Amino acid sequence: MPGPGGSMDYLKDLNQPKVYELKKAFCLFDLDGDGVISEQDLRNTFLTLGVEMSEAEIGKMFDGVVQPLNLDVFLLLVLQRANGLAPMDVMVNALRFWDKANTGFIDKEKFKFDIMSYGDRFTAEEAEEALADAAVTRGPQITRDGQLLEKIDYLDFAANISGFQRTDHK
């Protein structure tokens, strides 16, 4: 846990762009801007999304959460839940399997087919969702259907899906 005064020294070993995204997410939940996510903030957040949550459902979301749920607690909570996410270098090395020519790109359809066919198989919907934010380029190769081949920039993709740990350790 952070020390007195809200010190966030634990953030120094984390991927700063991802921490920045978490800080922005915190602000989206802290609707009244008081620096704390309250049950009312969470209820109102869901209402803005068109979802009405009962007192019991909101209360259950706060079970076991240190109060007040300020930015430090929020970051620690998310980081603890995301602890199993791999750092970027691990993700790049895993995705490199599909890049036999070492181009920095992988065939989107081949990758999608493989994640739906092997290991912990994705459904077609899960595969589409997983690849929704992948940077895709087209060409110059042509598919069997005469379409430009879609390729994923897997370095960018790995940065988007990797964990919160820094890999440069500067």
Side-chain angles (χ1 to χ4, degrees):
M1 294 303 284
S7 170
M8 294 196 294
D9 291 339
Y10 63 94
L11 295 179
K12 71 183 182 315
D13 290 327
L14 301 175
N15 177 316
Q16 292 306 306
K18 288 197 185 290
V19 171
Y20 176 73
E21 293 299 319
L22 289 175
K23 288 179 181 179
K24 288 190 339 189
F26 177 86
C27 291
L28 293 174
F29 285 100
D30 181 19
L31 293 178
D32 60 11
D34 67 353
V36 172
I37 298 174
S38 65
E39 290 187 14
Q40 189 62 46
D41 285 329
L42 192 57
R43 184 176 301 103
N44 289 338
T45 299
F46 277 106
L47 283 174
T48 63
L49 298 172
V51 178
E52 193 164 338
M53 301 290 282
S54 71
E55 295 286 329
E57 291 170 315
I58 295 291
K60 188 175 180 181
M61 291 180 183
F62 278 84
D63 280 353
V65 175
V66 174
Q67 296 294 325
L69 181 48
N70 60 24
L71 179 60
D72 285 4
V73 173
F74 178 78
L75 290 172
L76 281 173
L77 182 65
V78 172
L79 295 171
Q80 286 170 352
R81 301 260 163 98
N83 195 27
L85 294 176
M88 184 171 163
D89 54 350
V90 172
M91 293 306 303
V92 168
N93 286 334
L95 292 168
R96 192 169 280 140
F97 169 81
W98 284 272
D99 183 20
K100 303 296 186 206
N102 200 26
T103 63
F105 294 91
I106 56 178
D107 178 332
K108 180 182 176 185
E109 288 307 312
K110 169 74 171 132
F111 180 73
K112 184 177 166 185
F113 174 83
D114 286 353
I115 65 174
M116 291 170 46
S117 303
Y118 305 107
D120 293 330
R121 294 180 180 105
F122 282 55
T123 65
E125 185 176 294
E126 289 169 336
E128 281 298 323
E129 186 176 323
L131 296 173
D133 294 327
V136 175
T137 60
R138 290 181 173 78
Q141 296 101 339
I142 305 290
T143 65
R144 292 181 202 183
D145 311 9
Q147 303 293 320
L148 291 174
L149 180 71
E150 290 187 323
K151 298 177 288 186
I152 297 170
D153 175 341
Y154 69 88
L155 296 175
D156 179 71
F157 185 54
N160 286 335
I161 63 173
S162 63
F164 293 92
Q165 304 85 3
R166 280 182 32 196
T167 57
D168 57 4
H169 300 290
K170 290 181 182 175

Tab-separated table of all heavy atoms in Angstrom, residues 17 26 79 104 122 125 162:
chain	number	residue	atom	x	y	z
A	17	PRO	N	2.801	4.941	-19.676
A	17	PRO	CA	1.602	5.213	-20.490
A	17	PRO	C	0.366	4.476	-19.989
A	17	PRO	O	-0.732	5.013	-20.012
A	17	PRO	CB	2.007	4.757	-21.895
A	17	PRO	CG	3.493	4.882	-21.911
A	17	PRO	CD	3.924	4.512	-20.508
A	26	PHE	N	-9.731	6.537	-13.765
A	26	PHE	CA	-10.153	6.931	-12.417
A	26	PHE	C	-11.016	8.186	-12.482
A	26	PHE	O	-12.074	8.266	-11.855
A	26	PHE	CB	-8.932	7.167	-11.519
A	26	PHE	CG	-9.290	7.636	-10.139
A	26	PHE	CD1	-9.598	6.722	-9.151
A	26	PHE	CD2	-9.336	8.987	-9.831
A	26	PHE	CE1	-9.948	7.152	-7.867
A	26	PHE	CE2	-9.678	9.431	-8.568
A	26	PHE	CZ	-9.997	8.509	-7.586
A	79	LEU	N	-3.801	-2.931	-10.487
A	79	LEU	CA	-2.519	-3.604	-10.700
A	79	LEU	C	-2.493	-4.989	-10.061
A	79	LEU	O	-1.928	-5.920	-10.626
A	79	LEU	CB	-1.378	-2.740	-10.188
A	79	LEU	CG	-1.194	-1.424	-10.955
A	79	LEU	CD1	-0.192	-0.528	-10.253
A	79	LEU	CD2	-0.784	-1.679	-12.391
A	104	GLY	N	8.055	-7.629	-38.550
A	104	GLY	CA	7.339	-6.782	-37.603
A	104	GLY	C	5.833	-6.857	-37.801
A	104	GLY	O	5.079	-6.181	-37.107
A	122	PHE	N	-10.166	-19.364	-28.706
A	122	PHE	CA	-11.060	-18.217	-28.710
A	122	PHE	C	-12.260	-18.552	-29.588
A	122	PHE	O	-12.128	-19.284	-30.569
A	122	PHE	CB	-10.368	-17.000	-29.348
A	122	PHE	CG	-9.382	-16.290	-28.464
A	122	PHE	CD1	-8.323	-16.948	-27.870
A	122	PHE	CD2	-9.511	-14.920	-28.260
A	122	PHE	CE1	-7.411	-16.277	-27.081
A	122	PHE	CE2	-8.608	-14.235	-27.475
A	122	PHE	CZ	-7.545	-14.912	-26.875
A	125	GLU	N	-16.086	-14.480	-31.987
A	125	GLU	CA	-16.375	-13.176	-31.383
A	125	GLU	C	-15.224	-12.714	-30.482
A	125	GLU	O	-14.824	-11.553	-30.518
A	125	GLU	CB	-17.671	-13.265	-30.577
A	125	GLU	CG	-18.121	-11.941	-30.004
A	125	GLU	CD	-19.457	-12.069	-29.291
A	125	GLU	OE1	-20.473	-12.346	-29.969
A	125	GLU	OE2	-19.466	-11.892	-28.060
A	162	SER	N	-0.115	-5.831	-23.385
A	162	SER	CA	0.809	-6.292	-22.351
A	162	SER	C	0.435	-5.729	-20.995
A	162	SER	O	-0.416	-4.854	-20.870
A	162	SER	CB	2.241	-5.906	-22.720
A	162	SER	OG	2.377	-4.505	-22.776
